[in-house]
Each structure stands twice: as C-alpha cells, then as structure tokens.
Amino acid sequence: MAYKYLLFVFTIFVWFSCSNAPRQTQTTQTDMKELLHEMFLGEDPDLNYTRNDLYVIQLEDKIAKGDTNAKFELGIQLILAGREKEGLETLYNFVINNMGNDTIINAPESASIIHWLALAHFRFGEVTNCQENHNQSSCIMPINKQAQHIKPLGSVGAMRLYAKLLEFNPNDPMARWMYNLAAMTLGRYPNDVPAPWLVDFEKFKDTVATFPIFKDVAQGLGIDKPSHYGGAIIEDFNNDGLLDLFDTNSPLNEDVGLHIRQPNGTFKNTSETAGLKGITGGANAMQTDFNNDGWADVFIVRGGWLTAGGNQPTSLLRNNGDGTFTDITIKAGLLRFSPSHSAVWSDLDNDGWLDLIVGHETGSLDQFDLPNWDGKIPKHPTQVYRNNGNETFTDVTKSSGLDVVEWVKGVIALDSDKDGKQDIFLSIFNGNNRLFLNTSTAGKIHFEDVSATAGIQEPKFSFPAVSADFNNDGWPDIFVAGYHVNQAEIPKEYFNKIDPIYPSYTYINQKDGTFKAEPSFVLPQSIMAMSLNAGDLDNDGFVDIYLGTGAGMLTSLFPNIMLKNVEGKRWADVTTTSRTGHLQKCHGIAMADLDRDGDLDMYVELGALFWGDFFWNALFENNLTNKANWLSLKLTGDKSNRPAVGATIAITYTEQGIVKTITRTVSSGGSYGASPFEQHIGLGNAQRIMSVSITWPSGKQSEAKNLDLNKYYTWSEKDESPKTRNVTAISLQPLENANDEEHHHHH
C-alpha cells in the first residue's frame, strides 16, 4: 500500500541515505564566516538529512503538483522539523482520507503507521510542556512531580496508541518503552501500567554504591538555552580566574556561544563582542593553546554523522587576549572539508608545541543494508598536523603512519607504554579500534600501528572513548563505549536477561604493551553513548564517567548514565542516585569545579540531529556532602607546551596509615566535551600529602613535598615548587531576581 511504501522510503532516508558527491574546496581566501553562511544557504536536504525544514518545502511542492501520497511523509518531516502540531494534523488527515481512522487504528498490519502517530502525540506533549514548564527536573529520570506534564493531551494520546500496539504485539520493545515513558510524564507510572507491559527503569541501578546528588542550575544563570547536538568546553578564556563556558551547535546557522563568568555568578554571552557572530555550526569543540601565548584558543570540527552532507570545514579560533577571537583556519593551513566528530591536541614530537590530529569519517549508513557494499565512498583520512611554531601547521598525515581511512568517532592521546611520548587511540564505528605507538623523533612525527597485538579492537561499533588510570596503578587505561544506530534493540535488555547487545569495554593496561578487557568492569547493559567525559566526581580518588546517550530518532529517549568507579574494581550505575539520568540526547560534556567548593560540576550540551530536536543545555551542580579531600593543580609549561598537556602528576599521600599514589595526566578529558586543563584530583580520606611529582612533556622532573590538602596551586615548569593560587568561591545558585520566563518559548 502507498503509505507502507512511503514509510519504508522515509525510514531508509533517515538512517541510511547519503549521496557520495564530495564538496570542492576552492576557497583558500574566503572568509570563514562568509563560507559558513554560503554553505548553509546552499544545503541540500537530499545530502544533509537533518535539514527537515527544507525537506518539508520539497514535499509541499510535490503535493502541490498532485502527489497526494507525499502527505504522510510530510507529516513526519513536519514533526522532525519542529512543527509538531502541523505534523500531527497532517498525519491524521492522511490516515482518515486514505484509510479511515477506525480501520488504521484497529489493524495489526498498520503497526508501523501507528508508531508514527503515537510518536507524534508524544513529541507534541513533550514540546508543549517543555515550553510551559521547563525546570531543573525536566526530563530527568525518574520523572518527578515537578517535571510531569501540566498539559496531558500529548502523552494521553501516545499512551492510547502505544497500548494498541502492545495489544497487537506485547513484545514490541519501543512501544513498551514509550508507553512507560508517557505514563511517567503523567504521574501514572508504575501504578497504571499493566504488569506485562511494565518497564523497570532502575533495573541496572546499583543499590550499594553512594554518590552525590546533582541539580540542574542552568536556569537563571544565563546559559539555559536550547541547542542541537554540539560540543561543550569549560575553560578560563579571559584569564580572570573564573571558569567560562563555550559551546557549539551543529546547524550552520547557529552561532557558537562564549559565556563569560560574571562576578555575581551568572554567565554573559559575549559571542558578538568577541567577534564570533557568524562562526556557526560545530559537532564538537575543544580548547588548545596552539601558539603558547597563555590564552585558551578553540578548535571546532563539523559534519559528524552526515557523510557526504557533512563535508564541512574545521575552524581554529585564536584567542587574541583582549576578549576577541579570530578564525585563522585558512591562514594556519587547516582548512579541510570532511565529516568529523573528534580531534585531539597533543605535543606529538615533544618540541614544546601542540600538534593536532583530526578524526574524519569515511563511511555511509548505506553499507549496513548492502551486503556487497563495494566501499565506493569518498575517503576522508584521519589527518595529522605538525605545529610549525609560527601559527601555521604542516599536514604530515602520509609520512606519519597514521593515514587511517575509517569511520573515526573518537581520538584520544595517552602514553600507553610510559615512554614519554603520546600514543593515539582511535575509536572506530563499524570496524576495529586502533592503537598507534608514538615513534616520533625530533622534528618528525611518526606512529607504529600495534592494533593487532594491543588487544583493544572491540567493540566493532564504537563511539566516544577516554583514557584514565581507572585502577590507580600508575598506567593509563581506556574506556570505549559501544554504539549502534539501531536503538530499537536497547529496551529488550530491560525486559529480558540477556547480555549487552552493544557492549562497552574497559581496557586495563597490562604494562607490557597490551590491554585486557577487565571482566570486573563489564557493564550489564548497552549504553547508547554518543559522548562521555571522566573525572573524580565524588573525590574518592577514583575516576568516574558520565555518558551522554541517544541516537537520531525521536524515540531515542534513554537516560544518560553515571558510572561510579568503585575502588578501581568495577563500575556502579548511580544514575538514579545522582539524579543525572537526563532523557534528552546528550553530546558535549565538560567537568570542572565551577563554584570553587572543592568538587566537580558538569556542563552538558543537550539536543540532537534533526532540525526540530533541540533542548535546553544543563549545568549540573555537584552537591557532595561527604567532603573527601582533593588537590587542584594548574600547570604552566616552559620548554613544554604552555598548558602542559601530557604532563603526568603523581601524588603520594597517606590514608589511614597506608601510603598510596594517584597518577593523573593533563588533558581536557574524553573524546566528546572538554574539561579545563587545570586538574582537580580527588584524594579520598587522605591525611597528608607526602609529595607531588610532575613529569613534564619536555622530560623534566619536578617534585614538591608536604603540600596542603584542599588547596588550589599553580606550578610553572621553570619554578622549583608550586605556588598557592587564590581563587574566588562563587555560587552556582540562580539569582533571586532571575527571570525564568526569558528561558521559555524557544520552540
């Protein structure tokens, strides 16, 4: 039947379509702002499937020319474009005019069309209530009374239709999942959910581990704004001692955001005065100090997941030190049009300048449906750029040995063999993960591929990754999250006793050039992680992980996951305990002690791919009550790169009479989101710091004894010892006169 064909075509379009035509790159002198604007105006929805607004126009033109069958697809595209009410009306009009409402609702063979109608109702309710009642509890699992829908019409309609689907097929995983979510938004979960349909959303909750509670305080601080998927950075961009925020949004008509912390605790968006208006888009972003001038710069990658539609440029934004930034991408030799999701800055040849690796994506979602896929897709090799020390870079990809043509989703640097050189781990989607040992010599960057023997190749479908010393043995480990676009499989793990369908891996360094997937760290569930970052969020001395979940489809509403590291032995799911299980799709994650109270807070970028699928960013304040000890160090390189990226910090301390050592490495964290280069290090119940040792990227060793607990220090490579750093405690509580109304009505 016509509607079934349209539904099939649409589904394939959303998940698996993309043209292979590469974009030409004849713009060496074009101003980046003009280039981005021209690219936005010239976007084609047949290439960029997130431009649902344009696809609506195409479909309306088809209908005007007599193609009435396009009305069903139009309804779907209207919903994806953020025009939920129009989409819902269009879908119902199509159904009634073509089949009759009673016929379609009561026909098991119409399950696919009922799914779309149910989703339209749910989405309408979700958007309507977020407009009217967006607050600090919105969309956080379990949904409490404060976040329940005050306008029930959307969820009521969704429950009715999902119930019909479950009558047809009680094993329909997405219908069951969405029915329970709709019930929760109405305060009808679990009491009004029939037992055979009930979902235990806390199935994987750890009932033993304790963890601090987090509270979203973004409202009233000037940063509670709607966004699509993008990157998030916490860093002191104006060197006033207060940590600022930077974020990006993927659409090419949305400016980046620079939010400078104010003395009263709020954030001020200074993007326009900083010269950033017109710098748009960004799948991810991270800070750097590529020219060693002491001012944090920003690097942006664009086009992730969009394959041919993602041939978008990278951007290097130089911090001019006067509150402004300049895009110097073209001048620096970094202009490249490729779909990208991740990059890393690291001094690969230890010459004192940060080099750059950009993980580009070669692949198409077509290949999942084509068993004999011939790979005829434009190739976008991962690129290696050597810093020339004069604000220009040389592309050394071919000679570096890291000329990888894969679907790269994460790039992280780590000194896996502790030889003083930064090695590179690549997270690969639909392929084996890769590890490259750094064999660089003075002035020449080179890597050796040791993937086959290192033991890090799984999972086949990977996305974000991070390196940290998870078991405190002094050696860097790796966590890599499993991921797949087939999100409909995930609810099955909540209903059945089955192994994770798309597992994640914790690789413990075996200190002999290999890693082992440690069984004690195995997670019992799949985590649809699109992002993650790591930090010691409860100050117990062990690095925890927060993961942002989701997929492109609007039904991809899975709680973001908080994993507590239990004494370096296992992961405990403390999502519910911490109140961080946000249901909206999450990308950039950054962690920092924003209020200077001695624990890490989190800024998270919420929102997703499609034109109408956006949400308000969140700032989670850490309400750690059992104050364990900690130390904060901000390192400054001299012969090493200025932010001391790659420096190793070893803290030896006593705890209950036992001597312990914690090792941390200076970086901005995982492969999606960027924490500040200053290092906040939890020390548990430490009684005394015996010594702090620094191994600088230059090879220099520094040591200081008997530093104070719970203090902020700066340490320059040219100084023999650190200095106490004066910081200002500044509240994250919204101002009493903050006007919440200005944060509403964005849809």
Side-chain angles (χ1 to χ4, degrees):
M1 301 179 71
Y3 74 84
K4 289 185 178 179
Y5 172 76
L6 285 170
L7 183 62
F8 172 79
V9 170
F10 169 75
T11 303
I12 296 302
F13 169 76
V14 168
W15 295 112
F16 308 120
S17 72
C18 267
S19 165
N20 297 333
R23 178 182 172 84
Q24 299 301 310
T25 59
Q26 301 174 357
T27 51
T28 55
Q29 301 299 321
T30 303
D31 178 85
M32 181 61 72
K33 295 179 182 180
E34 293 178 1
L35 172 61
L36 292 170
H37 183 61
E38 290 170 3
M39 290 185 68
F40 172 72
L41 294 178
E43 281 193 304
D44 181 350
D46 291 330
L47 290 178
N48 184 347
Y49 54 83
T50 70
R51 290 303 307 271
N52 312 100
D53 59 325
L54 297 180
Y55 202 56
V56 164
I57 297 172
Q58 283 190 359
L59 290 168
E60 289 174 336
D61 184 58
K62 284 185 179 181
I63 294 168
K65 294 177 179 178
D67 185 357
T68 57
N69 288 329
K71 289 183 179 179
F72 181 78
E73 191 174 359
L74 173 62
I76 294 170
Q77 289 294 334
L78 284 166
I79 295 168
L80 296 176
R83 296 161 63 179
E84 292 81 11
K85 185 177 180 181
E86 294 174 71
L88 189 60
E89 292 172 350
T90 302
L91 287 179
Y92 268 114
N93 286 335
F94 176 85
V95 169
I96 293 170
N97 292 334
N98 286 269
M99 304 194 66
N101 190 46
D102 290 340
T103 302
I104 195 71
I105 297 303
N106 292 295
E109 63 270 18
S110 302
S112 56
I113 197 170
I114 298 173
H115 262 288
W116 282 111
L117 291 170
L119 174 59
H121 275 281
F122 185 91
R123 182 66 180 170
F124 177 71
E126 187 179 35
V127 170
T128 301
N129 284 275
C130 283
Q131 276 186 304
E132 303 296 333
N133 189 36
H134 177 57
N135 57 64
Q136 61 191 212
S137 296
S138 293
C139 289
I140 295 176
M141 290 278 283
I143 296 173
N144 61 23
K145 188 173 183 179
Q146 186 181 8
Q148 289 170 8
H149 289 185
I150 57 178
K151 292 188 175 182
L153 185 63
S155 285
V156 168
M159 284 187 70
R160 178 175 64 87
L161 292 170
Y162 284 124
K164 182 64 65 175
L165 288 166
L166 290 169
E167 291 172 7
F168 296 157
N169 178 14
N171 296 317
D172 185 328
M174 285 311 303
R176 185 171 171 185
W177 183 267
M178 295 299 292
Y179 181 90
N180 280 259
L181 283 183
M184 189 175 284
T185 66
L186 298 173
R188 296 173 58 183
Y189 173 94
N191 295 338
D192 293 345
V193 179
W197 299 350
L198 189 65
V199 175
D200 180 7
F201 288 118
E202 297 187 8
K203 175 180 179 179
F204 301 109
K205 175 185 176 181
D206 190 286
T207 59
V208 177
T210 59
F211 210 72
I213 296 173
F214 288 75
K215 181 179 178 182
D216 182 5
V217 296
Q219 285 186 294
L221 292 180
I223 54 171
D224 180 36
K225 65 174 187 176
S227 68
H228 290 86
Y229 87 93
I233 306 171
I234 301 178
E235 190 56 86
D236 183 1
F237 287 104
N238 60 353
N239 287 345
D240 66 351
L242 302 178
L243 292 170
D244 311 306
L245 307 176
F246 187 98
D247 56 51
T248 66
N249 278 274
S250 53
L252 291 179
N253 68 329
E254 294 195 20
D255 293 323
V256 301
L258 175 63
H259 310 277
I260 299 298
R261 194 77 188 275
Q262 303 299 299
N264 66 358
T266 63
F267 292 84
K268 181 179 180 181
N269 190 334
T270 64
S271 302
E272 186 165 357
T273 57
L276 294 172
K277 186 173 180 58
I279 300 297
T280 58
N284 197 2
M286 61 284 314
Q287 79 274 37
T288 181
D289 185 358
F290 74 95
N291 55 4
N292 284 341
D293 66 353
W295 297 88
D297 314 297
V298 174
F299 185 70
I300 300 171
V301 296
R302 299 182 175 91
W305 276 131
L306 301 183
T307 62
N311 289 329
Q312 300 176 3
T314 54
S315 278
L316 177 60
L317 307 178
R318 183 185 63 205
N319 188 334
N320 300 318
D322 59 1
T324 68
F325 287 76
T326 301
D327 190 310
I328 64 166
T329 309
I330 299 170
K331 175 185 174 183
L334 295 178
L335 183 65
R336 168 78 185 193
F337 294 83
S338 294
S340 308
H341 239 134
S342 188
V344 68
W345 290 84
S346 183
D347 186 357
L348 301 174
D349 53 359
N350 287 343
D351 66 349
W353 299 90
L354 289 175
D355 308 299
L356 172 64
I357 298 179
V358 185
H360 297 305
E361 300 178 6
T362 296
S364 171
L365 292 167
D366 290 342
Q367 63 202 75
F368 297 120
D369 253 16
L370 303 175
N372 297 315
W373 177 66
D374 60 8
K376 291 181 180 178
I377 285 176
K379 292 178 171 55
H380 301 288
T382 289
Q383 286 183 287
V384 183
Y385 294 99
R386 184 175 184 271
N387 193 330
N388 298 322
N390 60 0
E391 298 197 347
T392 69
F393 294 79
T394 299
D395 187 337
V396 296
T397 304
K398 292 292 185 183
S399 62
S400 71
L402 215 159
D403 188 10
V404 174
V405 180
E406 297 276 9
W407 201 328
V408 177
K409 302 302 290 184
V411 186
I412 57 175
L414 71 160
D415 187 0
S416 64
D417 54 0
K418 295 184 69 172
D419 67 349
K421 299 177 181 179
Q422 295 295 300
D423 311 309
I424 297 297
F425 174 84
L426 301 180
S427 170
I428 308 295
F429 183 76
N430 196 26
N432 294 329
N433 297 324
R434 310 282 289 273
L435 179 66
F436 292 83
L437 282 186
N438 191 335
T439 57
S440 301
T441 55
K444 184 176 182 180
I445 295 173
H446 190 267
F447 293 91
E448 177 186 351
D449 188 348
V450 296
S451 309
T453 58
I456 46 73
Q457 294 182 316
E458 295 292 330
K460 180 180 180 181
F461 294 97
S462 303
F463 199 159
V466 67
S467 175
D469 183 5
F470 294 121
N471 59 356
N472 285 350
D473 66 352
W475 290 73
D477 309 305
I478 298 170
F479 178 92
V480 56
Y483 186 81
H484 201 278
V485 294
N486 188 8
Q487 47 93 30
E489 295 290 309
I490 303 305
K492 294 179 181 179
E493 298 179 13
Y494 286 80
F495 317 148
N496 308 289
K497 292 184 178 180
I498 57 177
D499 291 333
I501 300 169
Y502 304 115
S504 300
Y505 284 74
T506 305
Y507 288 111
I508 300 300
N509 198 320
Q510 301 300 294
K511 310 175 187 178
D512 60 0
T514 67
F515 290 78
K516 178 183 178 183
E518 181 57 51
S520 65
F521 277 98
V522 170
L523 295 168
Q525 80 270 39
S526 299
I527 299 176
M528 293 288 287
M530 302 186 291
S531 63
L532 62 79
N533 220 325
D536 187 354
L537 292 160
D538 57 359
N539 283 347
D540 68 348
F542 294 92
V543 176
D544 313 301
I545 295 178
Y546 185 62
L547 302 107
T549 66
M553 199 52 205
L554 297 180
T555 51
S556 181
L557 296 170
F558 306 109
N560 300 325
I561 301 294
M562 179 70 79
L563 298 178
K564 172 183 169 62
N565 185 339
V566 182
E567 298 179 346
K569 299 175 182 177
R570 68 181 182 91
W571 297 117
D573 188 331
V574 292
T575 305
T576 302
T577 304
S578 61
R579 290 287 296 163
T580 56
H582 212 296
L583 281 170
Q584 294 297 325
K585 305 166 188 70
C586 176
H587 288 84
I589 298 171
M591 302 174 177
D593 182 8
L594 280 166
D595 49 5
R596 301 305 193 189
D597 65 349
D599 53 38
L600 293 174
D601 312 295
M602 297 193 304
Y603 180 55
V604 298
E605 181 89 354
L606 299 169
L609 271 169
F610 293 124
W611 193 253
D613 195 5
F614 45 83
F615 202 78
W616 291 264
N617 293 339
L619 178 58
F620 284 111
E621 181 184 16
N622 190 336
N623 292 289
L624 181 62
T625 55
N626 181 20
K627 293 290 186 181
N629 292 310
W630 52 273
L631 185 71
S632 176
L633 287 172
K634 184 174 184 178
L635 305 185
T636 303
D638 182 29
K639 291 184 178 179
S640 303
N641 65 85
R642 184 71 176 263
V645 172
T648 300
I649 303 167
I651 303 176
T652 301
Y653 63 99
T654 58
E655 183 179 80
Q656 298 178 346
I658 300 173
V659 177
K660 297 183 177 182
T661 299
I662 282 178
T663 302
R664 299 289 182 260
T665 302
V666 176
S667 76
S668 60
S671 59
Y672 218 119
S675 302
F677 290 133
E678 67 174 62
Q679 297 297 297
H680 176 94
I681 304 168
L683 294 173
N685 296 317
Q687 297 163 309
R688 182 174 71 91
I689 295 176
M690 299 173 65
S691 68
V692 178
S693 300
I694 310 295
T695 301
W696 301 87
S698 66
K700 179 180 178 179
Q701 303 283 325
S702 301
E703 184 178 29
K705 297 184 181 297
N706 300 319
L707 297 188
D708 292 332
L709 291 164
N710 307 326
K711 288 289 182 66
Y712 299 88
Y713 288 93
T714 58
W715 197 338
S716 174
E717 185 177 7
K718 60 186 178 183
D719 295 334
E720 293 301 317
S721 59
K723 299 176 181 177
T724 303
R725 180 160 60 111
N726 294 322
V727 302
T728 302
I730 185 166
S731 174
L732 281 174
Q733 295 303 310
L735 298 179
E736 292 183 5
N737 61 350
N739 181 11
D740 288 344
E741 288 301 316
E742 65 183 359
H743 304 301
H744 296 167
H745 311 300
H746 295 300
H747 290 278

